[in-house]
């Protein structure tokens, strides 16, 4: 049973517009959430994270929102750029009990068109 | 700094053959991880290590063994390869498991088992 779900396999957005990537989780023990970005033939790279004690974290063009009651988080990219085209993975962890183990979603492939 | 490196980048095996994947990190990280990524799937944890000389099972450990004889190296072994082990393997490391301590990933090893 998937604990972290990214229900949209792909998303296409025009350059300059907002990209919104969504992620749902089922395990209420998760208390830390991360987004990773992955280009083809490369390993994932860390993008942004959020603790369960917050509902928003912002870093430049990237903002992550967390809705604990809905067990939902989203990544907003504004404005979107062609270089943002990649696969985005949502990941979650139970900081208190997991030895740092991350549970990943299946990923969403973002295409930003010029 | 090279970060996290993986050897080899590509490998083709026949069913029943054995091989070892090498992961090396030069960031003096305590924690190291092996993941596999299959098409349309997120990354799944195979084994991990919380320090030199320690290893533990992750989500999908069957058919794999690991060793962490040196802090900077984490080896993943396949004793008798099976077609189901065809995948892309990623190694990662982190300084700690504290919230905010991101995992750094290697570029991956693409393994095909015929």
């Amino acid at each position: 049973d998937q604990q972290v779900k990214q229900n949209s396999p792909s998303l296409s957005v025009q350059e300059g517009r907002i990209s919104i990537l969504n992620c749902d989780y089922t395990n209420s023990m998760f208390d830390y959430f991360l987004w990773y970005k992955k280009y083809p033939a490369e390993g994932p790279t860390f993008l942004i994270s959020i603790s369960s004690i917050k509902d928003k974290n912002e870093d430049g063009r990237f903002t992550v929102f967390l809705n604990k009651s809905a067990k939902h988080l989203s990544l907003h990219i504004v404005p979107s750029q062609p270089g943002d085209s990649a696969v985005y993975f949502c990941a979650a962890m139970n900081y208190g009990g997991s030895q740092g183990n991350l549970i990943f979603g299946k990923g969403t492939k973002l295409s930003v068109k010029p | 700094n090279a970060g996290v490196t993986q050897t080899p980048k590509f490998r083709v095996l026949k069913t029943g053959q054995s091989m070892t994947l090498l992961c090396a990190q030069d960031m003096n990280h305590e924690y190291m991880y092996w993941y596999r990524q299959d098409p349309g799937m997120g990354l799944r944890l195979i084994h991990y290590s919380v320090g030199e000389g320690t290893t533990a099972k992750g989500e999908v450990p069957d058919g794999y063994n690991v060793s962490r004889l040196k802090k900077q190296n984490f080896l993943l072994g396949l004793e008798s390869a099976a077609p189901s082990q065809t995948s892309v393997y990623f190694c990662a490391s982190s300084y700690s498991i504290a919230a905010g301590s991101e995992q750094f990933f290697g570029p991956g090893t693409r393994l095909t088992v015929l």
Side-chain angles (χ1 to χ4, degrees), chain A residues 32 36 43 46 95 99-100 105-106, chain B residues 37 40 42 50 97-98 100 102-103 106:
Chain A
Y32 198 69
Y36 279 80
F46 171 75
Y95 164 53
Q99 301 291 344
K106 292 184 177 182
Chain B
Q37 186 192 11
V50 301
I97 60 168
E102 64 175 281
Q103 290 186 17

Side-chain angles (χ1 to χ4, degrees), chain A residues 36-100:
Chain A
Y36 279 80
K37 175 179 179 179
K38 185 183 179 303
Y39 292 117
E42 294 184 10
T45 55
F46 171 75
L47 189 58
I48 192 169
S49 61
I50 188 167
S51 164
S52 60
I53 63 173
K54 295 186 175 182
D55 55 18
K56 176 183 174 181
N57 189 27
E58 193 171 351
D59 184 2
R61 295 187 297 114
F62 303 92
T63 303
V64 57
F65 295 92
L66 175 62
N67 182 336
K68 282 182 293 183
S69 61
K71 293 190 176 68
H72 176 83
L73 62 155
S74 61
L75 174 68
H76 293 211
I77 306 174
V78 182
S80 301
Q81 299 174 353
D84 296 329
S85 297
V87 177
Y88 290 78
F89 290 100
C90 173
M93 66 182 288
N94 172 9
Y95 164 53
S98 68
Q99 301 291 344

